[in-house]
Short mmCIF file of all heavy atoms in Angstrom, two decimals:
data_model
loop_
_atom_site.label_atom_id
_atom_site.label_comp_id
_atom_site.label_asym_id
_atom_site.label_seq_id
_atom_site.Cartn_x
_atom_site.Cartn_y
_atom_site.Cartn_z
N LEU A 7 5.82 14.14 -6.17
CA LEU A 7 6.43 14.64 -7.40
C LEU A 7 7.64 15.48 -7.01
O LEU A 7 7.57 16.29 -6.09
CB LEU A 7 5.49 15.52 -8.23
CG LEU A 7 6.23 16.03 -9.51
CD1 LEU A 7 5.47 15.76 -10.77
CD2 LEU A 7 6.67 17.47 -9.39
N SER A 8 8.75 15.24 -7.70
CA SER A 8 9.87 16.16 -7.58
C SER A 8 10.58 16.24 -8.92
O SER A 8 10.30 15.44 -9.82
CB SER A 8 10.81 15.76 -6.45
OG SER A 8 11.61 16.89 -6.10
N GLY A 9 11.47 17.19 -9.05
CA GLY A 9 12.13 17.36 -10.34
C GLY A 9 13.43 18.12 -10.23
O GLY A 9 13.75 18.69 -9.19
N MET A 10 14.17 18.09 -11.33
CA MET A 10 15.42 18.84 -11.42
C MET A 10 15.50 19.48 -12.79
O MET A 10 15.01 18.93 -13.77
CB MET A 10 16.62 17.91 -11.27
CG MET A 10 16.95 17.59 -9.85
SD MET A 10 18.50 16.72 -9.81
CE MET A 10 18.28 15.92 -8.22
N ARG A 11 16.19 20.62 -12.82
CA ARG A 11 16.35 21.32 -14.09
C ARG A 11 17.56 20.78 -14.84
O ARG A 11 18.63 20.65 -14.24
CB ARG A 11 16.54 22.82 -13.83
CG ARG A 11 15.30 23.44 -13.19
CD ARG A 11 15.54 24.88 -12.83
NE ARG A 11 16.81 25.03 -12.17
CZ ARG A 11 17.73 25.94 -12.49
NH1 ARG A 11 17.51 26.79 -13.44
NH2 ARG A 11 18.86 26.00 -11.83
N MET A 40 10.63 14.18 -12.45
CA MET A 40 10.52 14.95 -13.68
C MET A 40 11.81 15.69 -14.01
O MET A 40 12.49 16.21 -13.13
CB MET A 40 9.39 15.96 -13.46
CG MET A 40 9.11 16.85 -14.61
SD MET A 40 7.88 18.08 -14.11
CE MET A 40 8.92 19.16 -13.13
N ALA A 42 12.83 18.96 -15.53
CA ALA A 42 12.09 20.22 -15.71
C ALA A 42 12.75 21.08 -16.79
O ALA A 42 13.41 22.07 -16.50
CB ALA A 42 12.00 20.96 -14.38
N HIS A 45 11.52 24.74 -17.02
CA HIS A 45 12.12 25.56 -15.96
C HIS A 45 13.58 25.91 -16.29
O HIS A 45 14.03 27.02 -16.03
CB HIS A 45 12.06 24.84 -14.60
CG HIS A 45 10.75 25.01 -13.90
ND1 HIS A 45 9.87 23.98 -13.70
CD2 HIS A 45 10.18 26.11 -13.35
CE1 HIS A 45 8.80 24.44 -13.05
NE2 HIS A 45 8.97 25.73 -12.82
N GLN A 83 9.28 17.15 -18.56
CA GLN A 83 8.18 18.12 -18.40
C GLN A 83 7.55 18.55 -19.73
O GLN A 83 6.33 18.55 -19.88
CB GLN A 83 8.75 19.34 -17.68
CG GLN A 83 7.77 20.41 -17.29
CD GLN A 83 8.51 21.59 -16.66
OE1 GLN A 83 9.61 21.94 -17.07
NE2 GLN A 83 7.93 22.16 -15.63
N TYR A 131 8.03 31.33 -12.48
CA TYR A 131 8.67 30.03 -12.20
C TYR A 131 7.89 29.19 -11.19
O TYR A 131 7.56 28.03 -11.45
CB TYR A 131 10.11 30.32 -11.73
CG TYR A 131 11.01 29.13 -11.52
CD1 TYR A 131 12.12 28.92 -12.34
CD2 TYR A 131 10.78 28.21 -10.49
CE1 TYR A 131 12.96 27.84 -12.14
CE2 TYR A 131 11.61 27.13 -10.29
CZ TYR A 131 12.70 26.95 -11.12
OH TYR A 131 13.52 25.87 -10.91
N GLN A 135 5.85 25.46 -11.32
CA GLN A 135 6.20 24.40 -10.36
C GLN A 135 4.94 23.91 -9.63
O GLN A 135 4.77 22.71 -9.40
CB GLN A 135 7.25 24.92 -9.36
CG GLN A 135 7.81 23.82 -8.48
CD GLN A 135 9.13 24.19 -7.81
OE1 GLN A 135 9.81 25.13 -8.21
NE2 GLN A 135 9.51 23.44 -6.80
N ASP A 138 3.23 21.60 -11.96
CA ASP A 138 3.93 20.30 -12.01
C ASP A 138 3.46 19.38 -10.89
O ASP A 138 3.23 18.19 -11.08
CB ASP A 138 5.44 20.48 -11.81
CG ASP A 138 6.13 21.31 -12.89
OD1 ASP A 138 5.60 21.37 -14.01
OD2 ASP A 138 7.20 21.88 -12.58
N ILE A 139 3.37 19.97 -9.71
CA ILE A 139 3.06 19.18 -8.51
C ILE A 139 1.59 18.80 -8.50
O ILE A 139 1.22 17.64 -8.30
CB ILE A 139 3.41 20.00 -7.24
CG1 ILE A 139 4.92 20.27 -7.18
CG2 ILE A 139 2.90 19.30 -5.97
CD1 ILE A 139 5.33 21.34 -6.16
N VAL A 147 6.36 16.60 -1.48
CA VAL A 147 7.35 17.12 -2.43
C VAL A 147 8.73 17.12 -1.77
O VAL A 147 9.06 18.03 -1.02
CB VAL A 147 6.99 18.56 -2.88
CG1 VAL A 147 7.89 19.01 -4.02
CG2 VAL A 147 5.53 18.66 -3.29
N PRO A 148 9.55 16.08 -2.02
CA PRO A 148 10.88 16.06 -1.42
C PRO A 148 11.79 17.05 -2.14
O PRO A 148 12.03 16.91 -3.34
CB PRO A 148 11.36 14.61 -1.64
CG PRO A 148 10.54 14.08 -2.77
CD PRO A 148 9.28 14.88 -2.85
N VAL A 149 12.23 18.05 -1.40
CA VAL A 149 13.07 19.10 -2.00
C VAL A 149 14.08 19.59 -0.98
O VAL A 149 13.97 19.30 0.21
CB VAL A 149 12.23 20.33 -2.44
CG1 VAL A 149 11.54 20.09 -3.75
CG2 VAL A 149 11.28 20.77 -1.35
N ASP A 152 15.95 25.26 0.04
CA ASP A 152 15.81 26.44 -0.84
C ASP A 152 14.50 26.42 -1.62
O ASP A 152 14.04 27.47 -2.07
CB ASP A 152 17.01 26.51 -1.81
CG ASP A 152 17.10 25.26 -2.68
OD1 ASP A 152 17.01 24.14 -2.14
OD2 ASP A 152 17.24 25.39 -3.91
N GLN A 153 13.89 25.23 -1.79
CA GLN A 153 12.66 25.14 -2.58
C GLN A 153 11.39 25.26 -1.74
O GLN A 153 10.28 25.26 -2.28
CB GLN A 153 12.63 23.82 -3.36
CG GLN A 153 13.69 23.72 -4.45
CD GLN A 153 13.40 24.68 -5.59
OE1 GLN A 153 12.30 24.73 -6.11
NE2 GLN A 153 14.40 25.47 -5.95
N HIS A 156 8.65 27.63 -2.67
CA HIS A 156 7.83 27.24 -3.84
C HIS A 156 6.74 26.24 -3.45
O HIS A 156 5.66 26.24 -4.03
CB HIS A 156 8.72 26.65 -4.93
CG HIS A 156 9.66 27.64 -5.53
ND1 HIS A 156 10.71 27.29 -6.35
CD2 HIS A 156 9.73 28.99 -5.40
CE1 HIS A 156 11.37 28.38 -6.72
NE2 HIS A 156 10.80 29.42 -6.14
N1 LIG B 1 12.64 24.26 -9.00
C1 LIG B 1 13.21 22.95 -8.80
C2 LIG B 1 14.73 23.11 -8.60
O1 LIG B 1 15.34 23.97 -9.17
C3 LIG B 1 12.92 22.04 -9.96
C4 LIG B 1 11.47 21.74 -10.08
C5 LIG B 1 10.64 22.09 -11.11
C6 LIG B 1 10.67 21.05 -9.12
N2 LIG B 1 9.37 21.65 -10.87
C7 LIG B 1 9.36 21.02 -9.66
C8 LIG B 1 10.93 20.49 -7.87
C9 LIG B 1 8.30 20.45 -8.95
C10 LIG B 1 9.89 19.91 -7.17
C11 LIG B 1 8.58 19.89 -7.69
O2 LIG B 1 15.32 22.30 -7.92
#
Side-chain angles (χ1 to χ4, degrees):
L7 179 128
S8 199
M10 278 189 202
R11 296 175 315 131
M40 180 186 76
H45 277 112
Q83 186 183 37
Y131 186 113
Q135 188 161 344
D138 297 336
I139 296 166
V147 189
V149 281
D152 59 313
Q153 293 291 310
H156 294 168

